[in-house]
Amino acid sequence: MTKTVSKLKNNIDYIYKKNENTPRMALCLNFSINQPEKSAGVYTLMARLLLQGTKKYNSEQLANEFEKYAIDFSSELFPNYLRIKFVCLNEDFSKALELMDDILKNSTFEEFEKEKVKLAGEISAELDSPRTIAMDAYYRKMFENHYYGNSIVKILENLGNISADDVIDSYKYIANNCKKSLAIVGACDLEDILSQIEE
Protein backbone atom coordinates (compact mmCIF):
# COMPACT_ATOMS: atom_id res chain seq x y z
CA MET A 1 0.00 0.00 0.00
CA THR A 2 1.33 3.42 -0.95
CA LYS A 3 0.24 6.74 0.47
CA THR A 4 0.50 10.22 -1.03
CA VAL A 5 -0.14 13.48 0.81
CA SER A 6 -0.21 16.68 -1.23
CA LYS A 7 -2.31 19.63 -2.41
CA LEU A 8 -4.57 20.07 -5.42
CA LYS A 9 -4.03 23.07 -7.71
CA ASN A 10 -6.70 24.99 -5.79
CA ASN A 11 -4.75 24.38 -2.55
CA ILE A 12 -7.08 21.73 -1.08
CA ASP A 13 -5.10 19.19 0.97
CA TYR A 14 -5.54 15.60 -0.12
CA ILE A 15 -4.34 12.19 0.90
CA TYR A 16 -4.41 9.18 -1.41
CA LYS A 17 -3.90 5.63 -0.20
CA LYS A 18 -3.57 2.92 -2.80
CA ASN A 19 -5.08 -0.44 -1.89
CA GLU A 20 -4.13 -3.07 -4.45
CA ASN A 21 -6.57 -5.74 -5.56
CA THR A 22 -9.76 -4.11 -4.35
CA PRO A 23 -12.72 -3.55 -6.69
CA ARG A 24 -13.81 -0.28 -5.06
CA MET A 25 -12.81 3.33 -4.71
CA ALA A 26 -13.78 5.62 -1.83
CA LEU A 27 -13.62 9.41 -1.73
CA CYS A 28 -14.39 11.78 1.16
CA LEU A 29 -14.52 15.55 0.89
CA ASN A 30 -14.59 17.31 4.27
CA PHE A 31 -15.63 20.92 4.84
CA SER A 32 -14.63 22.40 8.19
CA ILE A 33 -17.39 24.29 9.98
CA ASN A 34 -15.99 27.33 11.73
CA GLN A 35 -19.09 29.47 12.06
CA PRO A 36 -22.09 28.87 14.35
CA GLU A 37 -25.26 28.04 12.47
CA LYS A 38 -27.74 30.89 12.27
CA SER A 39 -30.37 28.81 14.02
CA ALA A 40 -30.45 25.28 15.50
CA GLY A 41 -31.15 22.77 12.71
CA VAL A 42 -29.96 24.80 9.72
CA TYR A 43 -26.85 22.66 9.16
CA THR A 44 -28.78 19.43 9.75
CA LEU A 45 -31.31 20.33 7.06
CA MET A 46 -28.53 21.49 4.73
CA ALA A 47 -26.71 18.14 4.95
CA ARG A 48 -29.93 16.22 4.27
CA LEU A 49 -31.06 18.43 1.38
CA LEU A 50 -27.76 18.12 -0.51
CA LEU A 51 -28.87 14.68 -1.69
CA GLN A 52 -32.46 15.64 -2.52
CA GLY A 53 -32.03 16.85 -6.08
CA THR A 54 -29.95 19.00 -8.41
CA LYS A 55 -30.68 21.11 -11.48
CA LYS A 56 -30.04 18.00 -13.57
CA TYR A 57 -31.71 15.31 -11.43
CA ASN A 58 -34.70 15.47 -9.10
CA SER A 59 -34.47 13.47 -5.86
CA GLU A 60 -35.90 10.29 -7.41
CA GLN A 61 -33.66 10.48 -10.48
CA LEU A 62 -30.61 11.08 -8.31
CA ALA A 63 -31.44 8.05 -6.15
CA ASN A 64 -31.88 6.01 -9.35
CA GLU A 65 -28.44 7.07 -10.59
CA PHE A 66 -26.85 5.94 -7.33
CA GLU A 67 -28.68 2.62 -7.54
CA LYS A 68 -27.95 2.07 -11.23
CA TYR A 69 -24.19 2.34 -10.66
CA ALA A 70 -24.23 0.82 -7.14
CA ILE A 71 -22.75 4.03 -5.70
CA ASP A 72 -23.00 4.41 -1.94
CA PHE A 73 -23.25 8.19 -1.57
CA SER A 74 -23.80 10.10 1.66
CA SER A 75 -23.71 13.49 3.31
CA GLU A 76 -22.79 13.41 7.00
CA LEU A 77 -22.82 16.24 9.49
CA PHE A 78 -20.52 16.32 12.52
CA PRO A 79 -20.19 19.11 15.11
CA ASN A 80 -17.23 20.71 13.32
CA TYR A 81 -17.34 19.46 9.74
CA LEU A 82 -19.53 18.34 6.87
CA ARG A 83 -18.48 15.20 4.99
CA ILE A 84 -19.59 14.31 1.45
CA LYS A 85 -18.45 10.83 0.49
CA PHE A 86 -18.97 8.00 -1.94
CA VAL A 87 -17.89 4.39 -2.42
CA CYS A 88 -18.11 2.93 -5.93
CA LEU A 89 -16.71 0.25 -8.19
CA ASN A 90 -13.39 1.17 -9.79
CA GLU A 91 -14.93 1.42 -13.25
CA ASP A 92 -17.61 3.83 -12.01
CA PHE A 93 -15.28 6.32 -10.32
CA SER A 94 -15.74 8.91 -13.07
CA LYS A 95 -19.54 8.64 -12.81
CA ALA A 96 -19.47 8.96 -9.02
CA LEU A 97 -17.22 12.01 -9.31
CA GLU A 98 -19.56 13.52 -11.91
CA LEU A 99 -22.54 13.06 -9.55
CA MET A 100 -20.59 14.54 -6.65
CA ASP A 101 -19.66 17.55 -8.75
CA ASP A 102 -23.32 18.07 -9.68
CA ILE A 103 -24.45 17.80 -6.05
CA LEU A 104 -21.80 20.23 -4.80
CA LYS A 105 -22.45 22.83 -7.49
CA ASN A 106 -26.12 22.43 -8.40
CA SER A 107 -28.16 21.21 -5.42
CA THR A 108 -31.56 22.91 -5.56
CA PHE A 109 -32.71 22.46 -1.93
CA GLU A 110 -36.24 22.32 -3.40
CA GLU A 111 -37.44 19.55 -1.06
CA PHE A 112 -37.05 21.94 1.89
CA GLU A 113 -40.58 21.77 3.34
CA LYS A 114 -40.85 18.02 2.83
CA GLU A 115 -37.47 17.44 4.49
CA LYS A 116 -38.47 19.61 7.47
CA VAL A 117 -41.54 17.45 8.06
CA LYS A 118 -39.49 14.25 7.70
CA LEU A 119 -36.85 15.51 10.13
CA ALA A 120 -39.47 16.49 12.72
CA GLY A 121 -40.98 13.00 12.51
CA GLU A 122 -37.63 11.27 12.84
CA ILE A 123 -36.61 13.38 15.85
CA SER A 124 -39.96 12.76 17.57
CA ALA A 125 -39.45 9.00 17.08
CA GLU A 126 -35.88 9.20 18.42
CA LEU A 127 -37.13 10.97 21.54
CA ASP A 128 -39.17 7.91 22.47
CA SER A 129 -35.89 6.51 23.81
CA PRO A 130 -34.98 7.47 27.42
CA ARG A 131 -31.29 7.09 26.52
CA THR A 132 -31.66 9.62 23.68
CA ILE A 133 -33.43 12.07 26.00
CA ALA A 134 -30.65 11.74 28.59
CA MET A 135 -27.86 12.20 26.02
CA ASP A 136 -29.67 15.16 24.50
CA ALA A 137 -29.93 16.88 27.88
CA TYR A 138 -26.24 16.16 28.54
CA TYR A 139 -25.09 17.81 25.30
CA ARG A 140 -27.38 20.82 25.80
CA LYS A 141 -25.89 21.39 29.24
CA MET A 142 -22.28 20.54 28.34
CA PHE A 143 -22.27 22.92 25.34
CA GLU A 144 -24.64 25.54 26.66
CA ASN A 145 -24.34 28.80 24.66
CA HIS A 146 -22.34 27.01 21.92
CA TYR A 147 -23.71 25.60 18.68
CA TYR A 148 -22.36 22.15 19.61
CA GLY A 149 -25.26 22.21 22.08
CA ASN A 150 -27.85 22.43 19.31
CA SER A 151 -29.27 19.04 20.23
CA ILE A 152 -32.19 17.31 18.55
CA VAL A 153 -34.61 18.78 21.11
CA LYS A 154 -33.41 22.29 20.24
CA ILE A 155 -33.61 21.48 16.53
CA LEU A 156 -37.19 20.19 16.87
CA GLU A 157 -38.21 23.30 18.82
CA ASN A 158 -36.64 25.55 16.21
CA LEU A 159 -37.59 23.92 12.90
CA GLY A 160 -40.46 26.33 12.31
CA ASN A 161 -38.05 29.29 12.42
CA ILE A 162 -35.78 28.00 9.64
CA SER A 163 -36.21 29.21 6.06
CA ALA A 164 -34.91 27.74 2.82
CA ASP A 165 -32.75 30.86 2.42
CA ASP A 166 -31.10 30.14 5.80
CA VAL A 167 -30.08 26.70 4.53
CA ILE A 168 -28.88 27.93 1.12
CA ASP A 169 -26.90 30.82 2.61
CA SER A 170 -25.23 28.46 5.10
CA TYR A 171 -24.23 26.05 2.35
CA LYS A 172 -22.81 28.85 0.20
CA TYR A 173 -20.76 30.12 3.12
CA ILE A 174 -19.35 26.67 3.94
CA ALA A 175 -18.65 25.84 0.28
CA ASN A 176 -16.88 29.14 -0.42
CA ASN A 177 -15.14 29.99 2.84
CA CYS A 178 -14.36 26.88 4.85
CA LYS A 179 -11.20 24.77 4.71
CA LYS A 180 -11.58 21.61 2.66
CA SER A 181 -9.67 18.34 2.72
CA LEU A 182 -9.93 15.28 0.53
CA ALA A 183 -9.22 11.59 1.15
CA ILE A 184 -9.19 8.95 -1.59
CA VAL A 185 -8.63 5.21 -1.15
CA GLY A 186 -8.63 2.47 -3.77
CA ALA A 187 -6.81 0.47 -6.41
CA CYS A 188 -6.74 3.05 -9.22
CA ASP A 189 -3.44 4.77 -9.91
CA LEU A 190 -3.40 8.34 -8.66
CA GLU A 191 -2.19 9.69 -11.98
CA ASP A 192 -5.23 8.11 -13.68
CA ILE A 193 -7.76 9.92 -11.48
CA LEU A 194 -6.01 13.08 -10.33
CA SER A 195 -6.88 15.14 -13.41
CA GLN A 196 -10.58 14.29 -12.93
CA ILE A 197 -10.40 15.29 -9.28
CA GLU A 198 -8.57 18.50 -10.13
CA GLU A 199 -11.29 19.41 -12.63
Side-chain angles (χ1 to χ4, degrees), residues 41-95:
V42 170
Y43 289 162
T44 300
L45 279 169
M46 175 197 68
R48 293 166 65 104
L49 283 163
L50 276 171
L51 302 187
Q52 298 302 318
T54 69
K55 293 173 185 174
K56 185 174 181 181
Y57 303 104
N58 64 32
S59 57
E60 185 180 347
Q61 290 168 334
L62 191 57
N64 287 341
E65 286 296 296
F66 294 148
E67 187 176 344
K68 180 175 161 185
Y69 293 94
I71 298 168
D72 180 9
F73 203 108
S74 64
S75 170
E76 299 172 296
L77 181 68
F78 299 89
N80 58 349
Y81 68 100
L82 169 69
R83 171 184 290 161
I84 313 293
K85 72 174 185 178
F86 66 74
V87 178
C88 66
L89 294 172
N90 293 340
E91 59 266 29
D92 295 323
F93 183 79
S94 296
K95 182 63 181 181

Side-chain angles (χ1 to χ4, degrees), residues 2-192:
T2 59
K3 188 159 64 173
T4 303
V5 180
S6 189
K7 286 183 184 288
L8 300 177
K9 290 175 184 173
N10 61 6
N11 223 29
I12 292 177
D13 294 318
Y14 76 86
I15 182 168
Y16 175 69
K17 184 177 179 183
K18 185 169 185 181
N19 281 355
E20 300 281 2
N21 305 317
T22 179
R24 298 186 192 192
M25 293 290 295
L27 183 146
C28 292
L29 177 61
N30 297 323
F31 298 80
S32 68
I33 294 177
N34 55 17
Q35 175 172 280
E37 57 189 338
K38 181 178 179 181
S39 192
V42 170
Y43 289 162
T44 300
L45 279 169
M46 175 197 68
R48 293 166 65 104
L49 283 163
L50 276 171
L51 302 187
Q52 298 302 318
T54 69
K55 293 173 185 174
K56 185 174 181 181
Y57 303 104
N58 64 32
S59 57
E60 185 180 347
Q61 290 168 334
L62 191 57
N64 287 341
E65 286 296 296
F66 294 148
E67 187 176 344
K68 180 175 161 185
Y69 293 94
I71 298 168
D72 180 9
F73 203 108
S74 64
S75 170
E76 299 172 296
L77 181 68
F78 299 89
N80 58 349
Y81 68 100
L82 169 69
R83 171 184 290 161
I84 313 293
K85 72 174 185 178
F86 66 74
V87 178
C88 66
L89 294 172
N90 293 340
E91 59 266 29
D92 295 323
F93 183 79
S94 296
K95 182 63 181 181
L97 206 58
E98 175 193 315
L99 291 170
M100 178 181 247
D101 185 65
D102 191 36
I103 287 164
L104 291 172
K105 293 176 181 173
N106 299 310
S107 281
T108 59
F109 301 95
E110 284 177 358
E111 304 264 342
F112 175 75
E113 292 298 337
K114 190 161 117 183
E115 204 60 35
K116 265 209 308 191
V117 171
K118 269 175 66 180
L119 179 58
E122 288 172 19
I123 291 175
S124 296
E126 277 189 68
L127 290 172
D128 285 339
S129 161
R131 183 178 186 279
T132 300
I133 292 170
M135 289 300 294
D136 190 272
Y138 170 80
Y139 279 106
R140 272 183 287 137
K141 189 65 179 170
M142 175 67 76
F143 297 108
E144 198 171 4
N145 302 319
H146 190 282
Y147 69 95
Y148 282 15
N150 287 348
S151 66
I152 59 173
V153 165
K154 286 182 78 171
I155 290 170
L156 185 60
E157 291 170 350
N158 192 56
L159 274 177
N161 301 322
I162 300 171
S163 71
D165 285 341
D166 292 334
V167 171
I168 293 166
D169 290 346
S170 292
Y171 177 67
K172 285 179 179 175
Y173 178 84
I174 289 170
N176 293 320
N177 299 290
C178 292
K179 181 176 171 61
K180 303 164 190 72
S181 59
L182 190 64
I184 314 111
V185 179
C188 295
D189 290 325
L190 181 60
E191 55 268 26
D192 292 338

